């Protein structure tokens, strides 16, 4: 059964282990979605968190990627979790 402690652990681990770099810096492309390993941008963080939670047995239908433009006009992506614990 998925737990909130799993969710917090994955969030903390990815945030601590991945260093933020834009896709332009990393790939010389404005946008490229890859699962972050050591470096990545917002959607890469979200994909890494999603992958880690799925590996821990979280149902894929609980995990969604959301994109938006933030208050500074920047593109942003996050993982949303529909936790039913």
């Amino acid at each position: 059964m998925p737990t909130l402690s799993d969710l917090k652990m994955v969030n903390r681990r990815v945030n601590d282990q991945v260093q933020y770099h834009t896709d332009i810096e990393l790939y010389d492309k404005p946008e490229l979605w890859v699962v972050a390993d050591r470096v990545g941008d917002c959607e890469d963080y979200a994909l890494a968190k999603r992958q880690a939670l799925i590996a821990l047995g979280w149902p894929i239908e609980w995990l969604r990627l959301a994109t938006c433009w933030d208050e500074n006009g920047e593109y942003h992506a996050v993982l949303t979790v529909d936790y039913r614990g």
Side-chain angles (χ1 to χ4, degrees), residues 10-43:
V10 166
N11 187 59
R12 186 173 38 256
R13 188 180 71 218
V14 171
N15 289 347
D16 289 347
Q17 292 179 352
V18 177
Q19 186 176 36
Y20 185 87
H21 289 282
T22 67
D23 290 331
I24 291 290
E25 293 171 320
L26 294 171
Y27 310 108
D28 199 29
K29 295 182 178 187
E31 198 58 57
L32 183 66
W33 288 53
V34 297
V35 175
D37 181 20
R38 296 183 185 151
V39 295
D41 63 1
C42 58
E43 73 274 357

Side-chain angles (χ1 to χ4, degrees), residues 1-80:
M1 178 70 177
T3 66
L4 281 178
S5 62
D6 288 339
L7 181 60
K8 290 176 183 180
M9 180 268 302
V10 166
N11 187 59
R12 186 173 38 256
R13 188 180 71 218
V14 171
N15 289 347
D16 289 347
Q17 292 179 352
V18 177
Q19 186 176 36
Y20 185 87
H21 289 282
T22 67
D23 290 331
I24 291 290
E25 293 171 320
L26 294 171
Y27 310 108
D28 199 29
K29 295 182 178 187
E31 198 58 57
L32 183 66
W33 288 53
V34 297
V35 175
D37 181 20
R38 296 183 185 151
V39 295
D41 63 1
C42 58
E43 73 274 357
D44 306 334
Y45 278 69
L47 289 169
K49 292 172 184 182
R50 181 178 178 270
Q51 181 179 30
L53 290 169
I54 290 168
L56 289 173
W58 283 63
I60 196 166
E61 62 271 12
W62 290 14
L63 310 171
R64 296 208 173 34
L65 298 169
T67 61
C68 65
W69 298 100
D70 70 16
E71 64 275 3
N72 298 317
E74 299 289 325
Y75 175 74
H76 191 53
V78 296
L79 178 68
T80 67

